[in-house]
Amino acid sequence: MTNSPDPRAELGAFLRSRRERLAPAALGLPVAPRRRTPGLRRAEVAESAGISTSWYAWLEQGRVRTSEQVLRSVARALHLDAAETAHVLSFAEDAPPTGAAPASWVSPNLRSLVDAMLPHPAMVIDPHWDLLAWNASYAALLTDLARLPPKRRNMLWLVFRWPPCRALLADWEAEARSLLGQFRARAAHHPDDPRYAEIIEAIRADPCAARWLDERETAAFRPAVKRFRHPAAGELRLRSVKLAAVDEPGHHFLAYLPDGPDSEAALHRLR
């Protein structure tokens, strides 16, 4: 990511954005009439977290890394939700690696699994969420990705830059915000990776994406029911499933399973 040359700077910017949006009343603090700082003061967060003001200031300034224990205390002080807390903890000095180097190759076994999922849409993505393999049902549900240039075969690009997606996803805004939050949390750990930067630059052309990126939205993947409004098959309710490919580090297998008999029948109409 071009605006964060160091993961410590990304963590600092994220903590600052959450501190500035938290009202003093959340900590039971009085609201001064001439309070100049938006949200909480650094000293107030530090006191609530049980650390020194200078150490917390260094965290926001991207000057230090710290332990999981300290970051948990800071997360509690900032009233972060589960996804935000997980994002902050991923910057701990003893945090495990976030994933293996990306690869564009997909094994025949994984491709066979994708095809075997028919009529259920299925795909394989890499760490950048570039789509590496997909079956006929996924192409019928969304679009034939083979017709797109390789660098546009990306989940973020499809959601924000492919116009039909807004009509196809019944809950587009919620889905788009969640997807972007997940992607941004991952990209923050790879500030020097040109593909992450390239994707973010491309989706910034969308006003919603640009605004949510600047707000530093973050999210965690959760299995959920997605609602599609397909021009040929009608409305579909599909449960998303995501699995890590153990023998292909960095690759994930995704599938959409019908949430009820009506959606099962609609999937057959896609073929």
Side-chain angles (χ1 to χ4, degrees), residues 34 52 74 248 260:
R34 296 184 178 179
S52 70
V74 171
E248 296 182 35

Side-chain angles (χ1 to χ4, degrees), residues 140-142 162 164 167-169 228-236 269-270:
L141 177 65
L142 233 71
W162 185 61
L168 183 64
L169 285 174
F228 294 86
R229 291 173 179 155
H230 194 271
E235 183 163 329
L236 300 93
R269 291 197 296 272
L270 285 174

Side-chain angles (χ1 to χ4, degrees), residues 167-190:
L168 183 64
L169 285 174
D171 306 304
W172 181 85
E173 181 172 341
E175 297 280 359
R177 290 183 77 125
S178 175
L179 192 69
L180 181 58
Q182 295 173 54
F183 183 83
R184 196 183 190 289
R186 183 175 184 86
H189 293 277
H190 304 275

Side-chain angles (χ1 to χ4, degrees), residues 242-266:
K242 184 178 182 180
L243 304 173
V246 176
D247 56 343
E248 296 182 35
H251 289 175
H252 283 83
F253 169 83
L254 282 83
Y256 292 143
L257 306 179
D259 187 50
D262 291 344
S263 293
E264 178 74 44

Side-chain angles (χ1 to χ4, degrees), residues 111-132:
R111 288 183 183 273
S112 296
L113 177 60
V114 168
D115 290 335
M117 287 299 298
L118 289 170
H120 307 128
M123 72 220 82
V124 175
I125 61 171
D126 72 2
H128 304 113
W129 294 358
D130 288 327
L131 288 108
L132 307 180

Side-chain angles (χ1 to χ4, degrees), residues 194-241:
R195 181 56 179 153
Y196 283 114
E198 182 180 36
I199 294 166
I200 288 175
E201 182 180 0
I203 65 172
R204 270 194 180 275
D206 179 87
C208 292
R211 183 171 72 254
W212 297 334
L213 281 167
D214 291 339
E215 291 174 358
R216 298 184 180 273
E217 292 283 348
T218 188
F221 173 81
R222 293 183 179 87
V225 175
K226 300 179 183 293
R227 296 192 303 129
F228 294 86
R229 291 173 179 155
H230 194 271
E235 183 163 329
L236 300 93
R237 293 173 55 85
L238 304 177
R239 290 181 285 111
S240 59
V241 177

